[in-house]
Amino acid sequence: MLIKDYVSFDFLRISVFYCSNEKGINMFGIGSTELIVILVVALILIGPQKLPELIKNLGKGLSEVKKMSNDVKSTLDAEISAADQERQQKEEAEREAARKKAEAEAMEKARQAEAEKQQNAEEAEEVAEAPKNESEKA
């Protein structure tokens, strides 16, 4: 089981991610013994005077990359949230249009029902007047 943690190695002046498992520390796919061998070889090749400066510059470079990636991430997040907001506004406008359409249809049905009711009342009145007219004629 891998457990990701954030560790700051102050003696190197850089921060790195590492994964720990049953076998020990594993940074960037490199084991702890391999890391020690790489550091010893770097110390021998570069020298003890320039190694701290090289590591410092490497740390600055990594921090610049991290800043740039954070900027890209924040820009993407802003664009995504703007697109989500636009989508929500569009959906809201569509719902409002559907609501207005349904309301207009309901009003039209109510008008038709009222007209039909009035027509039925007029027909009933005519039917009621018809026997009176016949009885008056007779």
Side-chain angles (χ1 to χ4, degrees):
M1 182 173 129
L2 294 175
I3 302 170
K4 290 188 176 187
D5 293 314
Y6 185 74
V7 171
S8 176
F9 291 96
D10 290 332
F11 67 92
L12 293 176
R13 294 182 185 226
I14 61 171
S15 299
V16 295
F17 286 103
Y18 78 96
C19 298
S20 63
N21 56 21
E22 294 81 21
K23 297 177 185 175
I25 295 175
N26 185 3
M27 284 194 305
F28 308 114
I30 300 173
S32 58
T33 55
E34 293 150 342
L35 184 63
I36 291 172
V37 169
I38 290 170
L39 289 175
V40 169
V41 169
L43 184 62
I44 292 171
L45 292 177
I46 298 171
Q49 292 83 17
K50 291 189 178 183
L51 186 62
E53 184 180 329
L54 178 69
I55 292 174
K56 182 179 176 182
N57 291 334
L58 180 64
K60 285 181 181 180
L62 288 175
S63 68
E64 286 294 321
V65 168
K66 187 175 180 180
K67 283 180 188 177
M68 288 182 355
S69 68
N70 286 339
D71 287 343
V72 168
K73 182 181 177 189
S74 64
T75 302
L76 286 176
D77 288 342
E79 291 296 323
I80 288 171
S81 66
D84 283 344
Q85 239 178 1
E86 189 175 305
R87 180 186 50 81
Q88 287 174 350
Q89 288 174 351
K90 184 178 178 182
E91 287 175 357
E92 190 175 308
E94 288 173 355
R95 281 193 300 266
E96 184 66 23
R99 185 191 63 78
K100 286 182 179 180
K101 183 179 178 183
E103 190 176 281
E105 288 174 356
M107 291 294 289
E108 184 61 32
K109 283 182 182 180
R111 282 189 204 117
Q112 288 176 353
E114 185 65 33
E116 193 175 300
K117 184 178 176 182
Q118 190 176 11
Q119 186 179 8
N120 288 340
E122 288 174 1
E123 287 176 2
E125 196 175 292
E126 287 177 9
V127 170
E129 287 180 9
K132 285 183 184 178
N133 289 339
E134 287 181 14
S135 63
E136 289 176 4
K137 286 182 184 179

